Amino acid sequence: MTAQDRSSSDPAGNRATATGSWRNRRLWIVVACLTIGATLAIALRVPVLAGLGKLTLAAVGLSLVGWLVVAGLRRLLWRVGRRLLLSYLLIGVVPVPIALCIGFVGSYLLAGFFLSHLVRVSLAELGLEARVTATSAATALAARQSSAVPFSGYAVALYRDGTRIEGDSRAPERWPDWLERETDLLQDTRSVSAVPVLAVLPDGTHTIAAASASGSAGAVAILDGELETVLRERTRVWVELLAGGRDEPGGATVSVGDNRWVLQPIRRTRIGRDIESFFAESGLGTGLLVRGLDSYGRGHDMTTGSAPADRLSATLFAPLRVVTDLLFSSAVELDTLAWLSFIVPAFLLLDVYVAAAIVAAVMIFGLTRAVNLLSSATAQVQEGDFSVRIPVRRHDQLGALHDSFNAMAENLQGLVAQAASQELLHKELQIAQDLQKSLLPDAGLIDSESVEIATFFEPSAAIGGDYFDLFHLGAERRRLVVVVADVAGHGIAAGLRMAMVKAALDTLVREGKPPEEILESLDGLVRAGRADTRFVTATLAVIDLCTGKVELTNAGHPPTYRLRQGSQVEEVVLPSTPLGALGRRYARKLLHLEPGDVLVWVSDGFIEACDESDESFGYERVVGALGGDCLSATSVRDRLIEAVRGYTGVSELSDDRTLVALRYIGPPAPLRPAIHGTKAAAPIGRAMK
């Protein structure tokens, strides 16, 4: 049949196309009227109308832009190859520079924190030296011995009976009780990076001081020198200290909670020259400087002990080489081992990434070519050319799919030819039967760590009308879809109609349609353009493997049976209409599975199985046969099959028999991703009869 013949024989399709075109024209007419009206309102400059017109134009413009974006994406991503390529770019290429950027920024910040830690450790060492110096001097004075400064770079002031008798004039005349308390408190702190006591000298500069008393004698140790200079020499880090009162105009302030840091862009030129001179003395350049910020608390007035409102902040600079020299050992063996432990995994990671990129490119090219061949062949079959065949060069699932397509096309070609020979007809039917059996799901592929599934399929003729299917939804594979359907009757007509229902169901499930909408679409498909419409009963279950929640939707199919622990059998009856029947009433129910529960779906071939006296097996016997321990899905399936066969004896089947038993084990471990992340649903097993 040509395309023209099919068009003339499908007036309903023509009417649908014409209706869709008229709706599109009406939509564009409405948009044009709104645009013209809004433009006129703006041109008339009526205050209220002009405002409404601008809003209307903005809404129309945004809608058109959104429509263009959606249409462009649909057109761009229509081909599977483009979707695979885009997915690979988003998953395998784009994250690499982002990860490198994040790693660089994180390393830079960690290097700044490392500089802050170095300076804090040096401050703690200075504080310890000041405490030891003050303690030594106070002990020597109490013993009336000559005191010696154990550490160079500290000035000492001596006190007796609370009055300074000699020493550094920067120390107060009277004994600073506050400094003694702060020194004792700091001595109890065990942190290696605790900031020592910061004292503010009369000239406003900050220094490190400590006080210790021994009887009536006491000593105050003060750092002899500029604190910034001492820290720079000890840490090889440029330290720029700044109190709140020394802010210069134009300085930038960074505040986090009670901490406050001050940056001084105006002094950048002078600081830059000083930094270059400082690091030039050590043979280091200033090409890539690591910057850090820190805050050391409030300093105390040397005489009164009062603390000003502003904190002492620090801006730290150091070349990257200083950080690496301090982080890595100076021993050549250890340094080489450290770099090897970094370079070798990085090289291996690069090799893995390159290999993955090559594999991804090969897979994208191979999948795209396979899908294009299948799409082209399907289009030719749709045009009526059943002689089309796909050259099979793959030895994987796609190759098997090509083989299946070729076998189905060959079967259809034989059916259209209507061979006169009964032997040839028998062979064609045998081919179709073998093809149908080859599509039965493998239990090993269906079962997972969350559920155990057992199935049974027994047609009453060469080609049956029953069908069941199982899908994992989403890339996380956390939801499982179970479909069981039955076309009235059996034979070639029922099998082809069920194949049509199966193909439509695959598409609708992959598009993420809700269950009721899927059944409504299948109902329309069953009715469309056919005078000899056959009823189709179906039940659709969506199971959340993580929570055990089951969304059950039924269209005239026999009840679903739920087996609980303790040999309890619950018959879930959902009165509804079959697909293609009068009315579209579909029943829906939510269930919650507990670990160990078993769900059983059967076709009416089990219920209507008759014995020699033509009495059906019936629903009650089904419930009785299912009762018992829920040891496994296989045991439940075998129990029902044996009961039916024992009841009917060796009589021929009057209808197809299909059974799906699912035992819920419990929530799964973290689900592995699908093999190809672009597919919305990955079928794990399917059977149609």
Side-chain angles (χ1 to χ4, degrees):
M1 181 182 293
T2 64
Q4 183 177 1
D5 295 334
R6 287 194 299 271
S7 300
S8 60
S9 62
D10 189 12
N14 293 335
R15 287 196 299 271
T17 304
T19 302
S21 302
W22 171 239
R23 289 178 179 175
N24 292 334
R25 285 196 295 269
R26 284 192 299 178
L27 177 61
W28 284 110
I29 291 173
V30 171
V31 171
C33 292
L34 288 175
T35 305
I36 295 173
T39 305
L40 291 176
I42 296 173
L44 294 176
R45 297 183 179 180
V46 179
V48 177
L49 295 179
L52 292 176
K54 292 180 180 179
L55 291 176
T56 303
L57 282 180
V60 171
L62 291 176
S63 300
L64 290 177
V65 170
W67 179 82
L68 290 175
V69 170
V70 172
L73 288 176
R74 286 180 177 176
R75 186 175 183 84
L76 177 65
L77 301 179
W78 186 83
R79 291 185 175 274
V80 175
R82 294 174 182 174
R83 293 194 179 190
L84 291 174
L85 179 60
L86 179 61
S87 300
Y88 173 72
L89 291 177
L90 294 178
I91 296 175
V93 177
V94 175
V96 173
I98 296 177
L100 293 176
C101 181
I102 293 175
F104 175 78
V105 173
S107 301
Y108 188 86
L109 294 177
L110 289 176
F113 296 151
F114 180 68
L115 296 183
S116 300
H117 174 71
L118 289 178
V119 175
R120 280 182 173 266
V121 171
S122 297
L123 285 172
E125 292 175 352
L126 292 174
L128 177 61
E129 294 174 359
R131 291 200 306 272
V132 173
T133 301
T135 302
S136 300
T139 303
L141 180 61
R144 298 187 180 279
Q145 298 176 354
S146 59
S147 61
V149 179
F151 297 99
S152 61
Y154 290 89
V156 178
L158 302 178
Y159 291 80
R160 189 177 296 280
D161 296 329
T163 304
R164 189 181 70 192
I165 57 176
E166 62 175 299
D168 198 324
S169 61
R170 294 177 297 174
E173 294 291 337
R174 300 296 301 170
W175 174 251
D177 294 330
W178 71 269
L179 184 57
E180 182 183 3
R181 291 192 302 270
E182 293 291 338
T183 303
D184 293 339
L185 291 175
L186 189 63
Q187 189 172 0
D188 296 334
T189 304
R190 297 183 179 181
S191 175
V192 296
S193 59
V195 178
V197 180
L198 297 175
V200 180
L201 298 176
D203 60 357
T205 59
H206 286 71
T207 188
I208 294 176
S212 178
S214 179
S216 61
V220 174
I222 303 174
L223 181 66
D224 190 9
E226 188 177 7
L227 181 58
E228 291 179 343
T229 303
V230 174
L231 290 175
R232 294 169 188 170
E233 293 174 352
R234 284 178 174 248
T235 61
R236 296 171 62 193
V237 175
W238 179 269
V239 182
E240 186 77 14
L241 298 176
L242 183 67
R246 292 168 53 192
D247 292 358
E248 297 190 8
T253 302
V254 179
S255 299
V256 178
D258 295 335
N259 297 324
R260 182 169 175 266
W261 298 276
V262 180
L263 306 178
Q264 303 178 66
I266 290 182
R267 302 175 61 202
R268 188 183 300 274
T269 303
R270 183 181 65 79
I271 292 177
R273 292 196 298 268
D274 295 342
I275 291 176
E276 291 178 0
S277 302
F278 175 74
F279 290 113
E281 295 177 358
S282 303
L284 301 173
T286 57
L288 178 59
L289 287 178
V290 178
R291 294 172 173 79
L293 298 174
D294 206 348
S295 178
Y296 305 126
R298 298 179 175 87
H300 298 267
D301 185 85
M302 194 66 175
T303 303
T304 63
S306 61
D310 296 315
R311 291 176 173 268
L312 180 66
S313 60
T315 305
L316 313 175
F317 300 89
L320 184 61
R321 180 179 172 183
V322 173
V323 178
T324 56
D325 289 345
L326 294 173
L327 283 175
F328 294 97
S329 172
S330 59
V332 177
E333 295 81 1
L334 295 179
D335 196 22
T336 303
L337 180 61
W339 279 107
L340 285 177
S341 63
F342 172 76
I343 294 176
V344 172
F347 182 75
L348 293 177
L349 180 61
L350 178 61
D351 289 345
V352 171
Y353 182 79
V354 172
I358 295 174
V359 171
V362 173
M363 289 179 61
I364 291 174
F365 175 77
L367 289 174
T368 302
R369 183 177 180 276
V371 172
N372 289 339
L373 288 174
L374 186 60
S375 177
S376 176
T378 304
Q380 294 183 53
V381 170
Q382 185 179 6
E383 294 294 330
D385 182 9
F386 298 103
S387 63
V388 62
R389 298 293 183 270
I390 299 176
V392 180
R393 299 187 179 92
R394 303 178 64 94
H395 301 283
D396 53 8
Q397 189 177 14
L398 286 173
L401 182 61
H402 289 173
D403 281 333
S404 300
F405 176 86
N406 291 339
M408 287 186 291
E410 183 178 356
N411 185 28
L412 289 174
Q413 186 179 20
L415 293 176
V416 172
Q418 293 294 320
S421 173
Q422 186 66 27
E423 182 180 358
L424 181 59
L425 177 61
H426 176 74
K427 290 182 178 180
E428 294 294 338
L429 290 177
Q430 187 64 42
I431 292 174
Q433 186 180 28
D434 294 340
L435 175 61
Q436 187 177 43
K437 290 181 179 180
S438 68
L439 296 178
L440 288 174
D442 186 356
L445 297 177
I446 298 174
D447 290 349
S448 69
E449 58 182 341
S450 298
V451 294
E452 175 196 2
I453 301 176
T455 62
F456 176 77
F457 165 71
E458 188 176 18
S460 60
I463 301 177
D466 285 1
Y467 159 70
F468 72 88
D469 213 339
L470 301 120
F471 297 92
H472 273 307
L473 289 183
E476 295 90 7
R477 300 167 62 89
R478 62 172 288 175
R479 291 191 298 162
L480 179 67
V481 177
V482 180
V483 182
V484 180
D486 181 11
V487 174
H490 48 269
I492 297 177
L496 292 178
R497 185 168 296 277
M498 186 48 67
M500 178 182 64
V501 172
K502 172 193 174 299
L505 181 64
D506 285 351
T507 303
L508 294 172
V509 171
R510 295 178 191 279
E511 290 178 354
K513 302 289 187 181
E516 293 184 358
E517 186 175 340
I518 291 175
L519 295 180
E520 290 179 358
S521 300
L522 293 178
D523 182 89
L525 181 64
V526 172
R527 299 170 182 270
R530 302 295 299 179
D532 56 339
T533 299
R534 294 175 179 263
F535 297 150
V536 178
T537 65
T539 183
L540 175 65
V542 181
I543 305 172
D544 192 326
L545 300 180
C546 293
T547 63
K549 179 182 176 182
V550 181
E551 182 181 2
L552 193 63
T553 307
N554 192 54
H557 204 72
T560 299
Y561 298 93
R562 179 182 184 182
L563 282 66
R564 291 177 170 271
Q565 297 295 331
S567 304
Q568 297 180 2
V569 180
E570 177 186 359
E571 187 178 28
V572 183
V573 180
L574 299 176
S576 53
T577 58
L579 303 177
L582 295 177
R584 295 183 178 179
R585 294 183 296 103
Y586 309 123
R588 178 175 176 269
K589 187 173 183 178
L590 297 178
L591 303 177
H592 189 276
L593 297 180
E594 298 294 336
D597 288 356
V598 177
L599 290 178
V600 179
W601 295 272
V602 297
S603 64
D604 56 5
F606 280 91
I607 301 169
E608 298 174 359
C610 298
D611 60 1
E612 295 179 355
S613 61
D614 204 24
E615 182 179 356
S616 63
F617 188 74
Y619 295 96
E620 295 181 358
R621 289 189 177 90
V622 171
V623 173
L626 291 175
D629 295 333
C630 302
L631 300 178
S632 65
T634 304
S635 64
V636 173
R637 176 199 63 186
D638 296 341
R639 198 158 57 218
L640 180 58
I641 294 173
E642 291 176 2
V644 173
R645 287 178 176 173
Y647 180 79
T648 59
V650 295
S651 60
E652 294 183 357
L653 298 181
S654 60
D655 196 1
D656 307 327
R657 295 176 186 174
T658 300
L659 182 149
V660 176
L662 181 146
R663 181 174 179 266
Y664 182 62
I665 300 174
L671 295 172
R672 66 181 185 276
I675 297 177
H676 307 300
T678 58
K679 295 185 178 180
I684 60 171
R686 53 177 60 87
M688 179 187 66
K689 57 172 186 152

